[in-house]
Amino acid sequence: QKEVEQDPGPLSVPEGAIVSLNCTYSNSAFQYFMWYRQYSRKGPELLMYTYSSGNKEDGRFTAQVDKSSKYISLFIRDSQPSDSATYLCAMAITGGGNKLTFGTGTQLKVEL
Amino acid sequence: DAGVIQSPRHEVTEMGQEVTLRCKPISGHDYLFWYRQTMMRGLELLIYFNNNVPIDDSGMPEDRFSAKMPNASFSTLKIQPSEPRDSAVYFCASTTAGRTGELFFGEGSRLTVL
């Protein structure tokens, strides 16, 4: 079993829809939870960052962490075609030297 | 500021040949990571350096892979001999100690081994 599990999709939604992306994990030592966005033929870039449990909101994006369930989510409101990309969750432990463990990514397509 | 720079962007080679991928991290960053991305396995950490010293190479698949960081502004990942199963996109990323969780990735080197 992988430490981080993520449904690869693809996920196709109409413009304006609310998108929910999720990851589960098995290592209870993870304390840092990130979402990266990767456009086609580009490197991943950090989208959202959360430490420990709770919610974080940034514009149309909301990240949620439920450590009791070992489950994290990314919500995208009012989705736009420009949101079409692969979204990767990533996790790290405290004192891990910036070593991140990534999910395999969920491919999202927002259609006009 | 320039981001992480990788070369070559694309490499097509034949099985058995030596492949060298290069990376220039962002100036001032003291962590450098090499990742490999495939459809089946996603992003896998191969090795990372801190202050030019290899810290964790447990992800390096086998002895055919080696990585060096001779100075703070340059790193190489070498595959010798290459095999078709090495075909993937190889990413270099850098960051600094105060940015836990935030890696800055290059655009990747797409390797195809025939």
Side-chain angles (χ1 to χ4, degrees):
Chain A
Q1 183 187 7
K2 289 184 175 180
E3 276 191 297
V4 179
E5 298 277 359
Q6 185 174 9
D7 186 335
L11 180 62
S12 183
V13 301
E15 184 179 8
I18 296 174
V19 177
S20 173
L21 304 169
N22 312 293
C23 286
T24 59
Y25 63 95
S26 58
N27 187 347
S28 58
F30 286 138
Q31 291 279 14
Y32 297 87
F33 303 92
M34 284 69 64
W35 287 94
Y36 279 75
R37 178 174 60 193
Q38 184 177 20
Y39 290 113
S40 180
R41 298 189 178 269
K42 297 290 187 181
E45 57 180 351
L46 181 66
L47 184 63
M48 296 284 286
Y49 164 97
T50 309
Y51 175 73
S52 194
S53 284
N55 295 357
K56 186 171 184 179
E57 188 172 322
D58 184 1
R60 297 184 295 111
F61 299 89
T62 300
Q64 287 185 352
V65 175
D66 181 350
K67 292 189 69 180
S68 62
S69 301
K70 295 190 178 68
Y71 188 87
I72 71 169
S73 301
L74 177 70
F75 297 95
I76 307 174
R77 292 182 299 280
D78 188 25
S79 56
Q80 303 295 309
S82 59
D83 295 327
S84 298
T86 296
Y87 291 80
L88 302 104
C89 61
M91 306 179 189
I93 64 173
T94 301
N98 277 317
K99 179 179 174 179
L100 303 190
T101 302
F102 282 85
T104 51
T106 300
Q107 187 179 353
L108 171 67
K109 184 170 184 180
V110 181
E111 315 234 33
L112 287 168
Chain B
D1 283 343
V4 174
I5 299 172
Q6 292 186 245
S7 65
R9 291 292 315 277
H10 302 273
E11 174 93 3
V12 180
T13 191
E14 293 192 346
M15 183 174 62
Q17 296 298 305
E18 179 179 293
V19 174
T20 299
L21 307 178
R22 298 172 177 81
C23 176
K24 177 178 170 54
I26 293 173
S27 177
H29 283 186
D30 51 0
Y31 284 87
L32 184 138
F33 301 79
W34 282 101
Y35 280 89
R36 176 172 68 177
Q37 187 175 42
T38 60
M39 290 290 290
M40 291 299 294
R41 301 173 69 91
L43 262 176
E44 300 175 284
L45 177 65
L46 300 176
I47 186 171
Y48 81 94
F49 296 82
N50 180 215
N51 291 321
N52 313 337
V53 175
I55 302 300
D56 184 347
D57 65 354
S58 59
M60 296 286 261
E62 47 200 274
D63 291 346
R64 298 184 297 106
F65 285 69
S66 62
K68 293 182 179 179
M69 192 164 186
N71 58 62
S73 59
F74 184 66
S75 177
T76 59
L77 178 68
K78 187 174 292 188
I79 308 171
Q80 166 64 18
S82 58
E83 296 182 3
R85 60 190 167 126
D86 302 331
S87 298
V89 182
Y90 291 80
F91 285 101
C92 176
S94 70
T95 193
T96 190
R99 291 183 178 268
T100 302
E102 184 172 19
L103 301 187
F104 295 81
F105 283 82
E107 297 209 320
S109 294
R110 183 173 296 270
L111 173 65
T112 302
V113 183
L114 302 174

mmCIF file with all atom_site columns, all heavy atoms in Angstrom, chain A residues 66-82:
data_model
loop_
_atom_site.group_PDB
_atom_site.id
_atom_site.type_symbol
_atom_site.label_atom_id
_atom_site.label_alt_id
_atom_site.label_comp_id
_atom_site.label_asym_id
_atom_site.label_entity_id
_atom_site.label_seq_id
_atom_site.pdbx_PDB_ins_code
_atom_site.Cartn_x
_atom_site.Cartn_y
_atom_site.Cartn_z
_atom_site.occupancy
_atom_site.B_iso_or_equiv
_atom_site.pdbx_formal_charge
_atom_site.auth_seq_id
_atom_site.auth_comp_id
_atom_site.auth_asym_id
_atom_site.auth_atom_id
_atom_site.pdbx_PDB_model_num
ATOM 1   N N   . ASP A 1 66 ? -8.169  16.485 7.644   1.00 0.00 ? 66 ASP A N   1
ATOM 2   C CA  . ASP A 1 66 ? -8.790  15.745 8.750   1.00 0.00 ? 66 ASP A CA  1
ATOM 3   C C   . ASP A 1 66 ? -7.794  14.672 9.170   1.00 0.00 ? 66 ASP A C   1
ATOM 4   O O   . ASP A 1 66 ? -7.762  13.582 8.595   1.00 0.00 ? 66 ASP A O   1
ATOM 5   C CB  . ASP A 1 66 ? -10.118 15.138 8.302   1.00 0.00 ? 66 ASP A CB  1
ATOM 6   C CG  . ASP A 1 66 ? -10.817 14.379 9.429   1.00 0.00 ? 66 ASP A CG  1
ATOM 7   O OD1 . ASP A 1 66 ? -10.195 14.165 10.482  1.00 0.00 ? 66 ASP A OD1 1
ATOM 8   O OD2 . ASP A 1 66 ? -11.980 14.006 9.251   1.00 0.00 ? 66 ASP A OD2 1
ATOM 9   N N   . LYS A 1 67 ? -6.994  14.962 10.176  1.00 0.00 ? 67 LYS A N   1
ATOM 10  C CA  . LYS A 1 67 ? -5.952  14.026 10.579  1.00 0.00 ? 67 LYS A CA  1
ATOM 11  C C   . LYS A 1 67 ? -6.540  12.779 11.242  1.00 0.00 ? 67 LYS A C   1
ATOM 12  O O   . LYS A 1 67 ? -5.945  11.704 11.175  1.00 0.00 ? 67 LYS A O   1
ATOM 13  C CB  . LYS A 1 67 ? -4.948  14.705 11.504  1.00 0.00 ? 67 LYS A CB  1
ATOM 14  C CG  . LYS A 1 67 ? -4.117  15.770 10.813  1.00 0.00 ? 67 LYS A CG  1
ATOM 15  C CD  . LYS A 1 67 ? -2.992  16.274 11.699  1.00 0.00 ? 67 LYS A CD  1
ATOM 16  C CE  . LYS A 1 67 ? -1.941  15.220 11.906  1.00 0.00 ? 67 LYS A CE  1
ATOM 17  N NZ  . LYS A 1 67 ? -0.845  15.690 12.773  1.00 0.00 ? 67 LYS A NZ  1
ATOM 18  N N   . SER A 1 68 ? -7.694  12.906 11.879  1.00 0.00 ? 68 SER A N   1
ATOM 19  C CA  . SER A 1 68 ? -8.290  11.740 12.534  1.00 0.00 ? 68 SER A CA  1
ATOM 20  C C   . SER A 1 68 ? -8.681  10.684 11.510  1.00 0.00 ? 68 SER A C   1
ATOM 21  O O   . SER A 1 68 ? -8.615  9.484  11.774  1.00 0.00 ? 68 SER A O   1
ATOM 22  C CB  . SER A 1 68 ? -9.492  12.151 13.375  1.00 0.00 ? 68 SER A CB  1
ATOM 23  O OG  . SER A 1 68 ? -10.500 12.709 12.549  1.00 0.00 ? 68 SER A OG  1
ATOM 24  N N   . SER A 1 69 ? -9.054  11.138 10.323  1.00 0.00 ? 69 SER A N   1
ATOM 25  C CA  . SER A 1 69 ? -9.436  10.208 9.254   1.00 0.00 ? 69 SER A CA  1
ATOM 26  C C   . SER A 1 69 ? -8.317  9.988  8.256   1.00 0.00 ? 69 SER A C   1
ATOM 27  O O   . SER A 1 69 ? -8.473  9.184  7.324   1.00 0.00 ? 69 SER A O   1
ATOM 28  C CB  . SER A 1 69 ? -10.668 10.733 8.510   1.00 0.00 ? 69 SER A CB  1
ATOM 29  O OG  . SER A 1 69 ? -11.760 10.906 9.383   1.00 0.00 ? 69 SER A OG  1
ATOM 30  N N   . LYS A 1 70 ? -7.224  10.718 8.414   1.00 0.00 ? 70 LYS A N   1
ATOM 31  C CA  . LYS A 1 70 ? -6.099  10.670 7.468   1.00 0.00 ? 70 LYS A CA  1
ATOM 32  C C   . LYS A 1 70 ? -6.599  10.960 6.055   1.00 0.00 ? 70 LYS A C   1
ATOM 33  O O   . LYS A 1 70 ? -6.378  10.167 5.100   1.00 0.00 ? 70 LYS A O   1
ATOM 34  C CB  . LYS A 1 70 ? -5.373  9.322  7.541   1.00 0.00 ? 70 LYS A CB  1
ATOM 35  C CG  . LYS A 1 70 ? -4.695  9.056  8.886   1.00 0.00 ? 70 LYS A CG  1
ATOM 36  C CD  . LYS A 1 70 ? -3.814  7.823  8.789   1.00 0.00 ? 70 LYS A CD  1
ATOM 37  C CE  . LYS A 1 70 ? -3.091  7.553  10.082  1.00 0.00 ? 70 LYS A CE  1
ATOM 38  N NZ  . LYS A 1 70 ? -3.992  7.135  11.158  1.00 0.00 ? 70 LYS A NZ  1
ATOM 39  N N   . TYR A 1 71 ? -7.220  12.125 5.923   1.00 0.00 ? 71 TYR A N   1
ATOM 40  C CA  . TYR A 1 71 ? -7.938  12.467 4.684   1.00 0.00 ? 71 TYR A CA  1
ATOM 41  C C   . TYR A 1 71 ? -7.776  13.957 4.459   1.00 0.00 ? 71 TYR A C   1
ATOM 42  O O   . TYR A 1 71 ? -7.993  14.755 5.377   1.00 0.00 ? 71 TYR A O   1
ATOM 43  C CB  . TYR A 1 71 ? -9.417  12.120 4.887   1.00 0.00 ? 71 TYR A CB  1
ATOM 44  C CG  . TYR A 1 71 ? -10.300 12.212 3.684   1.00 0.00 ? 71 TYR A CG  1
ATOM 45  C CD1 . TYR A 1 71 ? -10.443 11.140 2.822   1.00 0.00 ? 71 TYR A CD1 1
ATOM 46  C CD2 . TYR A 1 71 ? -11.038 13.361 3.431   1.00 0.00 ? 71 TYR A CD2 1
ATOM 47  C CE1 . TYR A 1 71 ? -11.281 11.206 1.720   1.00 0.00 ? 71 TYR A CE1 1
ATOM 48  C CE2 . TYR A 1 71 ? -11.879 13.444 2.344   1.00 0.00 ? 71 TYR A CE2 1
ATOM 49  C CZ  . TYR A 1 71 ? -12.002 12.356 1.499   1.00 0.00 ? 71 TYR A CZ  1
ATOM 50  O OH  . TYR A 1 71 ? -12.845 12.412 0.411   1.00 0.00 ? 71 TYR A OH  1
ATOM 51  N N   . ILE A 1 72 ? -7.351  14.325 3.233   1.00 0.00 ? 72 ILE A N   1
ATOM 52  C CA  . ILE A 1 72 ? -7.267  15.734 2.904   1.00 0.00 ? 72 ILE A CA  1
ATOM 53  C C   . ILE A 1 72 ? -8.046  16.015 1.626   1.00 0.00 ? 72 ILE A C   1
ATOM 54  O O   . ILE A 1 72 ? -8.207  15.118 0.782   1.00 0.00 ? 72 ILE A O   1
ATOM 55  C CB  . ILE A 1 72 ? -5.811  16.234 2.780   1.00 0.00 ? 72 ILE A CB  1
ATOM 56  C CG1 . ILE A 1 72 ? -5.131  15.685 1.518   1.00 0.00 ? 72 ILE A CG1 1
ATOM 57  C CG2 . ILE A 1 72 ? -5.001  15.841 4.020   1.00 0.00 ? 72 ILE A CG2 1
ATOM 58  C CD1 . ILE A 1 72 ? -3.787  16.363 1.236   1.00 0.00 ? 72 ILE A CD1 1
ATOM 59  N N   . SER A 1 73 ? -8.526  17.246 1.516   1.00 0.00 ? 73 SER A N   1
ATOM 60  C CA  . SER A 1 73 ? -9.346  17.622 0.372   1.00 0.00 ? 73 SER A CA  1
ATOM 61  C C   . SER A 1 73 ? -8.937  18.990 -0.147  1.00 0.00 ? 73 SER A C   1
ATOM 62  O O   . SER A 1 73 ? -8.441  19.830 0.611   1.00 0.00 ? 73 SER A O   1
ATOM 63  C CB  . SER A 1 73 ? -10.824 17.683 0.767   1.00 0.00 ? 73 SER A CB  1
ATOM 64  O OG  . SER A 1 73 ? -11.281 16.446 1.250   1.00 0.00 ? 73 SER A OG  1
ATOM 65  N N   . LEU A 1 74 ? -9.177  19.184 -1.433  1.00 0.00 ? 74 LEU A N   1
ATOM 66  C CA  . LEU A 1 74 ? -9.044  20.489 -2.068  1.00 0.00 ? 74 LEU A CA  1
ATOM 67  C C   . LEU A 1 74 ? -10.349 20.768 -2.792  1.00 0.00 ? 74 LEU A C   1
ATOM 68  O O   . LEU A 1 74 ? -10.803 19.946 -3.598  1.00 0.00 ? 74 LEU A O   1
ATOM 69  C CB  . LEU A 1 74 ? -7.886  20.514 -3.066  1.00 0.00 ? 74 LEU A CB  1
ATOM 70  C CG  . LEU A 1 74 ? -7.723  21.821 -3.839  1.00 0.00 ? 74 LEU A CG  1
ATOM 71  C CD1 . LEU A 1 74 ? -7.220  22.931 -2.909  1.00 0.00 ? 74 LEU A CD1 1
ATOM 72  C CD2 . LEU A 1 74 ? -6.772  21.660 -5.016  1.00 0.00 ? 74 LEU A CD2 1
ATOM 73  N N   . PHE A 1 75 ? -10.969 21.921 -2.473  1.00 0.00 ? 75 PHE A N   1
ATOM 74  C CA  . PHE A 1 75 ? -12.194 22.327 -3.142  1.00 0.00 ? 75 PHE A CA  1
ATOM 75  C C   . PHE A 1 75 ? -11.890 23.520 -4.038  1.00 0.00 ? 75 PHE A C   1
ATOM 76  O O   . PHE A 1 75 ? -11.187 24.450 -3.637  1.00 0.00 ? 75 PHE A O   1
ATOM 77  C CB  . PHE A 1 75 ? -13.269 22.705 -2.123  1.00 0.00 ? 75 PHE A CB  1
ATOM 78  C CG  . PHE A 1 75 ? -13.684 21.553 -1.249  1.00 0.00 ? 75 PHE A CG  1
ATOM 79  C CD1 . PHE A 1 75 ? -13.098 21.378 0.004   1.00 0.00 ? 75 PHE A CD1 1
ATOM 80  C CD2 . PHE A 1 75 ? -14.636 20.642 -1.666  1.00 0.00 ? 75 PHE A CD2 1
ATOM 81  C CE1 . PHE A 1 75 ? -13.460 20.314 0.813   1.00 0.00 ? 75 PHE A CE1 1
ATOM 82  C CE2 . PHE A 1 75 ? -15.006 19.574 -0.857  1.00 0.00 ? 75 PHE A CE2 1
ATOM 83  C CZ  . PHE A 1 75 ? -14.412 19.412 0.381   1.00 0.00 ? 75 PHE A CZ  1
ATOM 84  N N   . ILE A 1 76 ? -12.439 23.468 -5.227  1.00 0.00 ? 76 ILE A N   1
ATOM 85  C CA  . ILE A 1 76 ? -12.311 24.581 -6.166  1.00 0.00 ? 76 ILE A CA  1
ATOM 86  C C   . ILE A 1 76 ? -13.726 25.062 -6.467  1.00 0.00 ? 76 ILE A C   1
ATOM 87  O O   . ILE A 1 76 ? -14.556 24.301 -6.990  1.00 0.00 ? 76 ILE A O   1
ATOM 88  C CB  . ILE A 1 76 ? -11.617 24.158 -7.481  1.00 0.00 ? 76 ILE A CB  1
ATOM 89  C CG1 . ILE A 1 76 ? -10.279 23.477 -7.195  1.00 0.00 ? 76 ILE A CG1 1
ATOM 90  C CG2 . ILE A 1 76 ? -11.406 25.385 -8.373  1.00 0.00 ? 76 ILE A CG2 1
ATOM 91  C CD1 . ILE A 1 76 ? -9.606  22.902 -8.446  1.00 0.00 ? 76 ILE A CD1 1
ATOM 92  N N   . ARG A 1 77 ? -14.004 26.337 -6.112  1.00 0.00 ? 77 ARG A N   1
ATOM 93  C CA  . ARG A 1 77 ? -15.317 26.917 -6.404  1.00 0.00 ? 77 ARG A CA  1
ATOM 94  C C   . ARG A 1 77 ? -15.281 27.625 -7.740  1.00 0.00 ? 77 ARG A C   1
ATOM 95  O O   . ARG A 1 77 ? -14.232 28.124 -8.179  1.00 0.00 ? 77 ARG A O   1
ATOM 96  C CB  . ARG A 1 77 ? -15.708 27.913 -5.314  1.00 0.00 ? 77 ARG A CB  1
ATOM 97  C CG  . ARG A 1 77 ? -15.989 27.301 -3.971  1.00 0.00 ? 77 ARG A CG  1
ATOM 98  C CD  . ARG A 1 77 ? -16.412 28.383 -2.967  1.00 0.00 ? 77 ARG A CD  1
ATOM 99  N NE  . ARG A 1 77 ? -15.355 29.371 -2.779  1.00 0.00 ? 77 ARG A NE  1
ATOM 100 C CZ  . ARG A 1 77 ? -14.301 29.181 -1.999  1.00 0.00 ? 77 ARG A CZ  1
ATOM 101 N NH1 . ARG A 1 77 ? -14.148 28.046 -1.363  1.00 0.00 ? 77 ARG A NH1 1
ATOM 102 N NH2 . ARG A 1 77 ? -13.390 30.136 -1.874  1.00 0.00 ? 77 ARG A NH2 1
ATOM 103 N N   . ASP A 1 78 ? -16.451 27.688 -8.395  1.00 0.00 ? 78 ASP A N   1
ATOM 104 C CA  . ASP A 1 78 ? -16.557 28.414 -9.657  1.00 0.00 ? 78 ASP A CA  1
ATOM 105 C C   . ASP A 1 78 ? -15.410 28.035 -10.595 1.00 0.00 ? 78 ASP A C   1
ATOM 106 O O   . ASP A 1 78 ? -14.613 28.875 -11.039 1.00 0.00 ? 78 ASP A O   1
ATOM 107 C CB  . ASP A 1 78 ? -16.552 29.937 -9.401  1.00 0.00 ? 78 ASP A CB  1
ATOM 108 C CG  . ASP A 1 78 ? -16.843 30.734 -10.659 1.00 0.00 ? 78 ASP A CG  1
ATOM 109 O OD1 . ASP A 1 78 ? -17.486 30.198 -11.576 1.00 0.00 ? 78 ASP A OD1 1
ATOM 110 O OD2 . ASP A 1 78 ? -16.398 31.907 -10.723 1.00 0.00 ? 78 ASP A OD2 1
ATOM 111 N N   . SER A 1 79 ? -15.285 26.766 -10.870 1.00 0.00 ? 79 SER A N   1
ATOM 112 C CA  . SER A 1 79 ? -14.156 26.272 -11.646 1.00 0.00 ? 79 SER A CA  1
ATOM 113 C C   . SER A 1 79 ? -14.124 26.905 -13.045 1.00 0.00 ? 79 SER A C   1
ATOM 114 O O   . SER A 1 79 ? -15.172 27.193 -13.638 1.00 0.00 ? 79 SER A O   1
ATOM 115 C CB  . SER A 1 79 ? -14.202 24.742 -11.744 1.00 0.00 ? 79 SER A CB  1
ATOM 116 O OG  . SER A 1 79 ? -15.441 24.316 -12.279 1.00 0.00 ? 79 SER A OG  1
ATOM 117 N N   . GLN A 1 80 ? -12.911 27.119 -13.518 1.00 0.00 ? 80 GLN A N   1
ATOM 118 C CA  . GLN A 1 80 ? -12.667 27.766 -14.799 1.00 0.00 ? 80 GLN A CA  1
ATOM 119 C C   . GLN A 1 80 ? -11.866 26.839 -15.719 1.00 0.00 ? 80 GLN A C   1
ATOM 120 O O   . GLN A 1 80 ? -11.120 25.983 -15.232 1.00 0.00 ? 80 GLN A O   1
ATOM 121 C CB  . GLN A 1 80 ? -11.867 29.056 -14.574 1.00 0.00 ? 80 GLN A CB  1
ATOM 122 C CG  . GLN A 1 80 ? -12.521 30.049 -13.640 1.00 0.00 ? 80 GLN A CG  1
ATOM 123 C CD  . GLN A 1 80 ? -13.813 30.593 -14.209 1.00 0.00 ? 80 GLN A CD  1
ATOM 124 O OE1 . GLN A 1 80 ? -13.834 31.046 -15.357 1.00 0.00 ? 80 GLN A OE1 1
ATOM 125 N NE2 . GLN A 1 80 ? -14.878 30.527 -13.430 1.00 0.00 ? 80 GLN A NE2 1
ATOM 126 N N   . PRO A 1 81 ? -11.981 27.021 -17.023 1.00 0.00 ? 81 PRO A N   1
ATOM 127 C CA  . PRO A 1 81 ? -11.156 26.195 -17.928 1.00 0.00 ? 81 PRO A CA  1
ATOM 128 C C   . PRO A 1 81 ? -9.666  26.281 -17.602 1.00 0.00 ? 81 PRO A C   1
ATOM 129 O O   . PRO A 1 81 ? -8.932  25.300 -17.791 1.00 0.00 ? 81 PRO A O   1
ATOM 130 C CB  . PRO A 1 81 ? -11.477 26.781 -19.304 1.00 0.00 ? 81 PRO A CB  1
ATOM 131 C CG  . PRO A 1 81 ? -12.873 27.290 -19.175 1.00 0.00 ? 81 PRO A CG  1
ATOM 132 C CD  . PRO A 1 81 ? -12.952 27.839 -17.768 1.00 0.00 ? 81 PRO A CD  1
ATOM 133 N N   . SER A 1 82 ? -9.221  27.417 -17.082 1.00 0.00 ? 82 SER A N   1
ATOM 134 C CA  . SER A 1 82 ? -7.804  27.570 -16.730 1.00 0.00 ? 82 SER A CA  1
ATOM 135 C C   . SER A 1 82 ? -7.404  26.718 -15.530 1.00 0.00 ? 82 SER A C   1
ATOM 136 O O   . SER A 1 82 ? -6.204  26.573 -15.243 1.00 0.00 ? 82 SER A O   1
ATOM 137 C CB  . SER A 1 82 ? -7.491  29.040 -16.431 1.00 0.00 ? 82 SER A CB  1
ATOM 138 O OG  . SER A 1 82 ? -8.304  29.509 -15.371 1.00 0.00 ? 82 SER A OG  1
#
